[in-house]
């Protein structure tokens, strides 16, 4: 199959989803329909985005003949179609699909906004130039892209389950479930009648000149009622969309898998929640588009009915005015995109500056920040001026074309009686105005479309399987990992892991930062899906949702709510008496009535003990996952808490991630991870690696204790 002439539009639904959206666009362009949601999961997108290597591998598996290249930026147009890496005004990298070249213009699908047309020389400024170091020490620079040579083959036997689902799953249409055809059809019909009524109203004004007021007054009264009904109907449908989406989201959010929520930045989800009310504007926008188009058509028809000789000038006037508006739309849309990008970059810069204000002052970095702010401000101002020039030029062009066609129409009607001449002149002048209104409405549509896609995207996300209620057990779980690999953002985090854990074992997991310790915990919780290998729990395939029912988890990322201490302890638990948990976690000293958002009103150590107390209230615990559970606690508290682990969960299997080598000595078994692999598995007491690490940490503590004893004189 040959590729399409127009590149399919796939708008990203999250700030970090440009990779899966670009890949979905390429596949559709060659006739391969793949679920965007499933592609997103298959590409292992995390908050750091998707790597171009992952896009290349996934495209090849799904039936495209692709190759990754690095070429001089000016030669990118010779390798189309392709996914190309560009740099946004904010400095972040971004994937776009460069589809075809049309003379001096490129047809591009930008996942942030959809299809756009960009001059080739202007696009060169957007391309990211990557520097690659060769083995001999030399460096080369160039644009990074994934070029499509054509269709390949799909090996269904080797295709992973998630990619097989991407090819077979029907495309979701969640917005259709929220739109009832009858009310929307009635609203569109009312808008058409109101537009026709305005044209008829102008006709009746001619009768006023002849002294007859009755028909006009009756029509004005009818239009008033109709306009009121249209406005009320659009507002009601808008409220229905808004409230309906909120209800559907509230019912669906608890069923979304953890990976879906963890792979989206908090700022992105917060932005969607903030923009929910903007769905109310869709019916009004659609009504205005239908009404404006109807008015243009009805004016042309009315002119033809009154004076058939003026029909051709009227049609040309309408087509010229509307065509001029649509012709300049890509130019304005491109500049509007640049303005929005620079505005977003400037806004994020302000936010980052406020969040890091204390650090900036501590490092006396005000001049550096001011210089960067001035640079971004200049870019924002330049993009604003370019947009203003484009809008003014477009409107001037549109007015010139419209006025020229209107003048021709007026000249054709010069021989009519005064009343008819005035009516035809009024309609001739109104056509450019209606076309300008249609142009403004069409410029709003891409933005509203993107917002709507982002808002309804959670409704199309795959749901987590809801397991049956777990049965009580009097022993811990057994775990078996065979050649397990995990990818995150296209990078291997766990590499061919083999591990066997018997029921009731207590294992310490140590290793440098980035070695894969927390990823191993996240794998059991369901945040990560193995890219290869097998995970068994009690000799059955891992079911994260079922396992979590009998898991106690302590991690600094466990959320604390801005409620009381007791309410935070009871969250997710069914017990009412929290006294024993407060004693065991040493929480009696906390005096705050409210813990604050994310525990902001308590210290780090107090917040961690609240998380520990919440885990102690879990019932039917068979697996305990502790990721730095004693962070922020003083050494005496750490020792006391560590000594109570066996009493807290006597029969459960315990895995504890720690950076403190001394804590690992209290366990019977220890795993040491390096670069996603287990490099040591055995008794901590016999580990020379652990003994050396304990000595290094002891020396570091002694040095810090010495610093604390220094007295600063006045």
């Amino acid at each position: 199959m040959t590729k399409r002439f127009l590149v399919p539009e796939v708008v990203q639904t999250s700030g970090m989803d440009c990779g899966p959206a670009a890949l979905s666009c390429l596949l559709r362009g060659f006739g391969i329909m793949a679920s965007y949601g499933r592609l997103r999961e298959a590409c292992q997108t995390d908050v750091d985005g998707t790597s171009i290597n992952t896009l290349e591998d996934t495209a090849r598996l799904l039936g495209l003949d692709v190759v990754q290249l690095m070429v001089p930026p000016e030669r990118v147009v010779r390798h189309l179609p392709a996914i190309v890496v560009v740099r946004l005004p904010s400095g972040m990298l971004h994937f776009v699909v460069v589809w075809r070249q049309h003379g001096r213009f490129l047809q591009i699908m930008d996942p942030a906004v959809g299809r756009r047309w960009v001059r080739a020389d202007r696009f060169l400024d957007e391309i990211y130039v990557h520097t690659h170091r060769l083995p001999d020490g030399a460096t080369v620079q160039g644009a990074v892209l994934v070029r499509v040579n054509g269709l390949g083959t799909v090996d269904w036997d080797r295709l992973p389950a998630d990619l097989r689902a991407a090819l077979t799953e029907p495309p979701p249409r969640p917005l259709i479930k929220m739109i009832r055809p009858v009310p929307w059809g009635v609203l569109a019909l009312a808008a058409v009648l109101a537009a026709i009524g305005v044209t008829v109203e102008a006709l009746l004004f001619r009768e006023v000149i002849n002294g007859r007021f009755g028909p006009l007054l009756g029509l004005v009264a009818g239009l008033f009622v109709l306009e009121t009904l249209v406005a009320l109907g659009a507002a009601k449908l808008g409220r229905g969309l808004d409230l309906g989406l909120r209800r559907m989201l509230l019912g669906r959010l608890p069923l979304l898998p953890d990976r879906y929520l963890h792979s989206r930045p908090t700022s992105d989800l917060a932005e969607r929640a903030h923009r929910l009310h903007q769905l109310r504007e869709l019916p009004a926008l659609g009504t205005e588009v239908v009404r404006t188009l109807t008015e243009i058509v009805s004016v042309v028809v009315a002119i033809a009915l009154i004076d058939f000789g003026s029909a051709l000038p009227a049609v040309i006037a309408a087509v010229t005015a509307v065509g001029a508006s649509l012709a300049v739309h890509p130019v304005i849309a491109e500049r509007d995109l640049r303005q929005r990008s620079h505005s977003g970059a400037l806004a994020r810069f302000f936010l980052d500056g406020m969040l890091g204000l204390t650090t900036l002052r501590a490092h006396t970095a005000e001049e550096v920040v001011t210089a960067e702010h001035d640079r971004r401000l200049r870019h924002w101002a330049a993009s604003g001026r370019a947009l203003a020039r484009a809008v003014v030029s477009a409107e001037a062009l549109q007015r010139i074309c419209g006025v020229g066609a209107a003048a021709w129409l007026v000249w054709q009607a010069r021989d009519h009686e005064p009343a008819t001449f005035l009516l035809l002149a009024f309609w001739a002048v109104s056509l450019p105005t209606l076309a300008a209104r249609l142009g403004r409405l069409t410029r709003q549509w891409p933005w509203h479309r993107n917002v709507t896609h982002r808002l309804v995207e959670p409704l199309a996300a795959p749901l987590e399987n809801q397991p049956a209620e777990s049965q009580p057990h009097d022993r811990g779980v057994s775990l078996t990992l065979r050649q397990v690999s995990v990818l995150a953002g296209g990078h291997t985090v766990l590499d061919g892991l083999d591990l066997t854990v018997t029921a009731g074992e207590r294992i310490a997991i140590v290793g440098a930062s980035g070695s894969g310790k927390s990823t191993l915990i996240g794998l059991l919780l369901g945040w990560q899906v193995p890219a290869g290998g097998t995970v068994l729990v009690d000799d059955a395939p891992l079911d994260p949702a079922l396992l979590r029912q009998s898991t106690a988890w302590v991690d600094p990322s466990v959320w604390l709510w801005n409620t009381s201490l007791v309410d935070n302890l009871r969250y997710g638990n069914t017990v009412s008496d929290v006294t024993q948990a407060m004693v065991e976690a040493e929480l009696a000293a906390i005096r705050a009535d409210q813990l604050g958002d994310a525990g902001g009103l308590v210290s780090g150590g107090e917040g961690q003990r609240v998380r520990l107390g919440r885990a102690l209230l879990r019932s039917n615990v068979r697996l305990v996952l502790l990721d730095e559970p004693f962070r922020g606690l003083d050494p005496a508290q750490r020792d006391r808490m560590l000594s109570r682990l066996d009493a807290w969960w006597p029969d459960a299997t315990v895995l504890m991630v720690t950076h403190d080598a001394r804590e690992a000595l209290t366990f019977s078994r220890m795993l040491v991870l390096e670069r996603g692999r287990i490099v040591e598995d055995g008794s901590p007491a016999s580990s020379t690696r652990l003994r050396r690490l304990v000595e290094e940490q002891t020396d570091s503590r002694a040095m810090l204790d010495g610093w604390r004893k220094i007295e600063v004189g006045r």
Side-chain angles (χ1 to χ4, degrees):
M1 177 180 178
T2 58
K3 66 177 183 178
R4 298 182 183 179
F5 179 77
L6 290 178
V7 60
E9 288 188 293
V10 182
V11 179
Q12 66 189 74
T13 55
S14 176
M16 305 304 295
D17 286 358
C18 58
L23 177 58
S24 178
C25 166
L26 274 186
L27 292 168
R28 295 182 190 184
F30 283 88
I32 302 174
M33 301 305 297
S35 166
Y36 168 46
R38 292 293 185 179
L39 278 181
R40 188 189 187 287
E41 302 300 326
C43 288
Q44 296 284 333
T45 306
D46 208 335
V47 293
D48 58 347
T50 305
S51 75
I52 197 167
N53 294 335
T54 303
L55 295 181
E56 179 190 13
D57 295 340
T58 307
R60 189 174 292 113
L61 287 171
L62 291 174
L64 287 181
D65 180 11
V66 296
V67 60
Q68 185 178 162
L69 302 172
M70 189 168 73
V71 301
E74 61 274 9
R75 298 186 63 182
V76 166
V77 295
R78 302 184 184 181
H79 301 277
L80 303 183
I83 297 177
V84 182
V85 184
V86 299
R87 187 181 290 280
L88 297 175
S90 61
M92 298 181 62
L93 300 184
H94 184 63
F95 293 116
V96 300
V97 176
V98 185
W99 190 245
R100 289 179 184 270
Q101 184 176 14
H102 306 274
R104 297 172 58 192
F105 286 85
L106 297 175
Q107 184 187 158
I108 294 176
M109 204 294 293
D110 188 335
V113 293
R115 188 186 303 116
R116 62 191 183 105
W117 305 79
V118 183
R119 277 175 38 189
D121 56 345
R122 189 182 296 274
F123 181 66
L124 286 176
D125 298 332
E126 302 180 18
I127 295 177
Y128 165 68
V129 179
H130 175 67
T131 301
H132 179 69
R133 184 176 295 276
L134 299 175
D136 60 0
T139 59
V140 293
Q141 291 184 325
V144 181
L145 54 92
V146 173
R147 184 185 70 193
V148 181
N149 298 320
L151 288 174
T153 57
V154 179
D155 188 348
W156 288 91
D157 295 332
R158 298 180 55 189
L159 199 64
D162 48 6
L163 292 183
R164 191 179 297 113
L167 292 177
T168 57
E169 184 178 87
R173 294 182 174 89
L175 197 59
I176 294 179
K177 300 178 182 178
M178 303 171 58
I179 297 178
R180 299 177 181 178
V182 174
W184 285 80
V186 171
L187 181 63
L189 178 60
V192 169
L193 293 177
I196 295 174
V198 171
T199 305
V200 175
E201 183 182 28
L203 275 171
L204 293 181
F205 263 110
R206 186 174 56 171
E207 301 300 321
V208 172
I209 298 176
N210 297 327
R212 287 182 287 182
F213 294 90
L216 178 62
L217 293 177
L219 181 62
V220 168
L223 283 178
F224 175 77
V225 174
L226 189 58
E227 295 279 8
T228 303
L229 293 177
V230 169
L232 292 176
K236 183 177 180 180
L237 287 178
R239 287 195 301 271
L241 277 178
D242 184 6
L243 297 177
L245 179 61
R246 292 177 188 272
R247 293 191 188 100
M248 294 177 72
L249 287 176
L250 284 176
R252 197 174 184 91
L253 281 176
L255 306 178
L256 292 175
D258 288 328
R259 290 183 69 241
Y260 176 89
L261 299 174
H262 278 271
S263 64
R264 282 156 172 81
T266 304
S267 58
D268 180 75
L269 295 174
E271 180 191 23
R272 297 193 204 191
H274 173 69
R275 289 188 171 183
L276 277 173
H277 67 280
Q278 292 174 342
L279 272 182
R280 298 187 177 212
E281 301 175 14
L282 282 181
L285 178 63
T287 301
E288 282 299 310
V289 171
V290 171
R291 179 173 178 158
T292 304
L293 283 172
T294 304
E295 281 193 49
I296 293 174
V297 173
S298 61
V299 164
V300 173
V301 172
I303 292 174
L305 290 176
I306 292 177
D307 180 10
F308 187 76
S310 300
L312 180 60
V315 171
I316 294 177
V319 172
T320 302
V322 174
S325 176
L326 298 179
V328 299
H329 173 72
V331 178
I332 295 179
E334 178 192 349
R335 285 159 175 76
D336 182 64
L337 171 62
R338 284 178 168 271
Q339 171 72 356
R340 291 180 186 275
S341 299
H342 285 293
S343 296
L346 198 59
R348 285 189 293 271
F349 187 83
F350 275 124
L351 178 61
D352 293 340
M354 288 187 290
L355 294 176
L357 187 59
T358 302
T359 305
L360 293 174
R361 289 174 174 172
H363 292 278
T364 63
E366 291 90 341
E367 291 186 4
V368 176
V369 174
T370 301
E372 177 63 16
H373 172 263
D374 290 344
R375 184 183 69 83
R376 299 196 180 200
L377 190 62
R378 288 193 298 272
H379 288 310
W380 172 79
S383 65
R385 289 192 296 270
L387 176 61
R389 285 194 298 267
V391 170
V392 171
S393 301
E395 291 188 354
L397 174 63
Q398 183 181 16
R399 293 293 182 180
I400 292 172
C401 295
V403 169
W408 182 20
L409 181 58
V410 171
W411 178 259
Q412 286 288 115
R414 68 187 184 280
D415 295 331
H416 287 280
E417 59 174 316
T420 303
F421 174 77
L422 289 175
L423 180 60
L424 292 174
F426 167 73
W427 278 334
V429 174
S430 68
L431 282 176
T433 303
L434 292 173
R437 186 202 304 173
L438 182 63
R440 288 192 294 271
L441 293 173
T442 54
R443 286 198 293 270
Q444 295 178 32
W445 169 245
W447 182 79
H448 281 281
R449 178 197 58 186
N450 296 354
V451 170
T452 304
H453 274 290
R454 288 168 58 78
L455 292 179
V456 302
E457 187 261 346
L459 302 180
L463 299 180
E464 185 173 65
N465 295 326
Q466 299 302 305
E469 186 174 351
S470 61
Q471 300 298 319
H473 288 270
D474 57 359
R475 64 181 183 85
V477 301
S478 63
L479 303 172
T480 304
L481 280 71
R482 299 172 183 163
Q483 288 296 301
V484 172
S485 298
V486 173
L487 303 178
H491 303 286
T492 301
V493 184
L494 295 181
D495 187 8
L497 218 62
D498 286 311
L499 176 64
T500 301
V501 179
T502 58
E505 264 198 292
R506 277 148 167 72
I507 301 177
I509 305 174
V510 299
S513 177
S515 59
K517 305 184 300 299
S518 297
T519 303
L520 176 58
I521 299 296
L523 179 68
L524 300 176
L525 289 168
W527 298 343
Q528 306 287 347
V529 175
T534 305
V535 181
L536 303 177
V537 177
D538 292 335
D539 297 325
L542 169 66
D543 184 343
L546 179 62
L547 183 59
R548 282 199 297 265
Q549 293 185 9
S550 55
T551 298
W553 173 50
V554 180
D555 185 284
S557 63
V558 172
W559 191 260
L560 298 182
W561 304 100
N562 189 20
T563 58
S564 66
L565 171 62
V566 173
D567 287 341
N568 267 280
L569 291 174
R570 288 175 178 167
Y571 183 79
N573 295 307
T574 57
V575 298
S576 56
D577 185 8
V578 300
T579 305
Q580 186 61 30
M582 291 182 63
V583 172
E584 293 292 333
E586 302 181 9
L587 296 170
I590 295 181
R591 296 287 180 255
D593 295 329
Q594 304 287 320
L595 300 192
D597 191 22
L601 298 181
V602 294
S603 69
E606 289 173 333
Q608 196 67 349
R609 281 183 279 134
V610 173
R611 298 179 179 95
L612 184 60
R614 187 186 292 175
L616 291 174
L617 292 173
R618 296 279 291 172
S619 58
N620 190 31
V621 174
R622 303 183 59 216
L623 176 64
V624 181
L625 301 176
L626 307 175
D627 196 342
E628 294 293 335
F630 309 131
R631 180 184 295 181
L633 277 63
D634 60 59
Q637 281 181 320
R638 284 173 176 255
D639 293 341
R640 289 197 300 271
M641 300 289 179
L642 199 58
S643 65
R644 298 171 187 166
L645 282 182
D646 290 342
W648 287 340
W649 298 290
D651 301 314
T653 302
V654 179
L655 302 180
M656 189 178 90
V657 171
T658 178
H659 284 93
D660 191 334
R662 294 183 309 135
E663 293 178 354
L665 290 172
T666 64
F667 286 75
S668 59
R669 182 180 174 188
M670 177 195 68
L671 303 178
V672 180
L673 269 66
E674 283 186 7
R675 298 182 179 180
R677 292 178 174 271
I678 297 176
V679 296
E680 189 169 336
D681 181 358
S683 170
S686 60
S687 172
T688 57
R689 189 192 303 264
L690 183 64
R691 188 161 51 248
R692 184 171 62 253
L693 188 57
V694 170
E695 293 173 355
E696 292 174 354
Q697 292 181 350
T698 302
D699 293 340
S700 299
R701 289 192 182 92
M703 184 180 299
L704 289 174
D705 290 339
W707 286 348
R708 293 192 188 103
K709 296 176 183 178
I710 296 176
E711 295 183 1
V712 179
R714 296 182 180 177

